[in-house]
Amino acid sequence: MSAGAREPHFVQSFERGLAVIRAFDADHPELTLSEVARTCGLTRAAARRFLLTLSDLGYVRTDGRLFRLSPRVLELGYAYLSSFSLPDIAEPHLEQLVAEVRESSSLCVLDGDDIVYVARVPTSRIMTASITVGTRFPAHVTSVGRVMLAHLPDEEIDARLARAELRALTARTIVTTGLLRAELRRVRRHGYAIVDQELEEGLRSVAAPVRDRDGDVVAAVNIPVHASRNSVESVRRDLLPPLLAAVARIEADLRVVARRR
């Protein structure tokens, strides 16, 4: 929108102040008054007023010649992040993960004995059932469910297994509490879960837990793949590392949000 087409409510001085902040970046962490004026299309006098105002507010530091942003400018981003829910925080990281591995990815939470999809970035459909936000599956037959169940207290795991309906969804589904308990112990020990065609024939899935600031598991992220194109070993070798990296980025953002609340 050109300056002549601005709405009546538009505050041009505020726009210019933000432009001064955006003038600083990784390639230009320090700028002189003349450089700020030139970058923002301001007169030296106007640039000086904006820089000194930002300095008075604590957003800019100067040695008298060079100006640079102060750590306080991060508060502007914290305010944005603190308004986000877990799916909001996770979604850009899921998008980055999907772009990297070229497979779908989802964020799920535990609700009773089910997992619920709360964020999803699809590529191609690989399951018979249509997966959307709000879709539910029994936790014990999914990779996301197992990583969340595995990190519950032992007594809660026992209670859940005692009431779970362990029916075979495929020929590979674990249907005995002893084997499932052993699998959950393995998942807890390794920090991730791979479920091999237990929910649906032809579907393999790997998942890792998402922890909050206190270290509690609050969700899980998965990558489901075609079993015909991805062996268990290739899932572990090729998909697990980028999955863990994406989870680490989500957890880092969650810690930022927690500090601002």
Side-chain angles (χ1 to χ4, degrees), residues 3 27 58 76 82 217 229 241 256:
D27 295 325
L76 303 176
S82 66
V217 174
R229 297 201 307 261
V256 170

Side-chain angles (χ1 to χ4, degrees), residues 16 21 28 31 50 57 70 72 91 96 105 117-118 133 144 148 154 166 169 174 179 219 223 241 248:
R16 290 172 175 171
I21 293 175
H28 306 91
L31 295 169
F50 284 118
L57 293 173
S70 78
R72 189 171 186 180
E91 190 159 350
Q96 181 179 342
S105 182
Y117 286 72
V118 295
V133 170
V144 283
M148 288 186 281
D154 290 338
L166 303 182
L169 300 180
I174 294 175
L179 288 176
I223 301 174

Side-chain angles (χ1 to χ4, degrees), residues 32-38 41-52 64-65 67:
T32 64
L33 172 59
S34 296
E35 289 169 335
V36 171
R38 184 170 59 253
L42 300 171
T43 64
R44 280 176 53 88
R48 181 175 182 274
R49 289 196 301 272
F50 284 118
L51 286 167
L52 293 181
R65 189 181 76 85
F67 295 84

Side-chain angles (χ1 to χ4, degrees), residues 9-20:
H9 62 258
F10 191 85
V11 181
Q12 190 173 46
S13 61
F14 185 66
E15 177 195 29
R16 290 172 175 171
L18 292 175
V20 169

Side-chain angles (χ1 to χ4, degrees), residues 172-215:
R172 297 171 180 260
T173 306
I174 294 175
V175 293
T176 65
T177 56
L179 288 176
L180 185 53
R181 186 178 286 105
E183 176 63 12
L184 294 179
R185 284 197 296 266
R186 189 203 64 78
V187 169
R188 182 188 291 182
R189 185 168 63 252
H190 291 284
Y192 66 90
I194 295 178
V195 170
D196 184 11
Q197 304 181 78
E198 293 188 50
L199 177 64
E200 182 173 312
E201 291 285 355
L203 175 70
R204 290 192 173 109
S205 181
V206 59
V210 177
R211 300 177 184 272
D212 64 13
R213 184 184 182 185
D214 298 321

Side-chain angles (χ1 to χ4, degrees), residues 6-258:
R6 300 295 190 189
E7 296 291 340
H9 62 258
F10 191 85
V11 181
Q12 190 173 46
S13 61
F14 185 66
E15 177 195 29
R16 290 172 175 171
L18 292 175
V20 169
I21 293 175
R22 291 197 300 270
F24 299 88
D25 57 26
D27 295 325
H28 306 91
E30 294 183 326
L31 295 169
T32 64
L33 172 59
S34 296
E35 289 169 335
V36 171
R38 184 170 59 253
T39 300
C40 299
L42 300 171
T43 64
R44 280 176 53 88
R48 181 175 182 274
R49 289 196 301 272
F50 284 118
L51 286 167
L52 293 181
T53 298
L54 289 168
S55 179
D56 290 344
L57 293 173
Y59 294 117
V60 165
R61 293 175 177 170
T62 181
D63 62 4
R65 189 181 76 85
L66 291 173
F67 295 84
R68 65 182 301 124
L69 297 180
S70 78
R72 189 171 186 180
V73 79
L74 293 173
E75 291 180 352
L76 303 176
Y78 288 150
Y80 171 70
L81 283 174
S82 66
S83 67
F84 268 29
S85 67
L86 176 57
D88 292 325
I89 292 169
E91 190 159 350
H93 300 295
L94 297 183
E95 290 172 351
Q96 181 179 342
L97 175 62
V98 168
E100 180 179 358
V101 302
R102 300 184 183 277
E103 299 286 357
S104 302
S105 182
S106 301
L107 176 80
C108 301
V109 297
L110 196 59
D111 182 30
D113 295 325
D114 295 336
I115 58 97
V116 180
Y117 286 72
V118 295
R120 177 165 170 78
V121 178
T123 51
S124 59
R125 180 174 166 182
I126 65 173
M127 292 187 65
T128 302
S130 177
I131 305 296
T132 60
V133 170
T135 296
R136 308 172 73 96
F137 288 114
H140 66 276
V141 292
T142 65
S143 59
V144 283
R146 286 189 184 168
V147 292
M148 288 186 281
L149 291 174
H151 291 87
L152 293 173
D154 290 338
E155 58 273 18
E156 186 169 350
I157 293 176
D158 291 340
R160 286 174 178 268
L161 292 184
R163 66 175 181 258
E165 184 183 352
L166 303 182
R167 61 186 181 88
L169 300 180
T170 74
R172 297 171 180 260
T173 306
I174 294 175
V175 293
T176 65
T177 56
L179 288 176
L180 185 53
R181 186 178 286 105
E183 176 63 12
L184 294 179
R185 284 197 296 266
R186 189 203 64 78
V187 169
R188 182 188 291 182
R189 185 168 63 252
H190 291 284
Y192 66 90
I194 295 178
V195 170
D196 184 11
Q197 304 181 78
E198 293 188 50
L199 177 64
E200 182 173 312
E201 291 285 355
L203 175 70
R204 290 192 173 109
S205 181
V206 59
V210 177
R211 300 177 184 272
D212 64 13
R213 184 184 182 185
D214 298 321
D216 296 325
V217 174
V218 294
V221 175
N222 77 342
I223 301 174
V225 295
H226 286 283
S228 61
R229 297 201 307 261
N230 301 269
S231 66
V232 171
E233 181 52 40
S234 71
V235 168
R236 186 179 292 110
R237 181 188 65 240
D238 301 330
L239 299 182
L240 181 60
L243 171 63
L244 295 176
V247 166
R249 292 191 295 269
I250 294 171
E251 292 176 339
D253 281 356
L254 284 177
R255 287 193 293 273
V256 170
V257 170

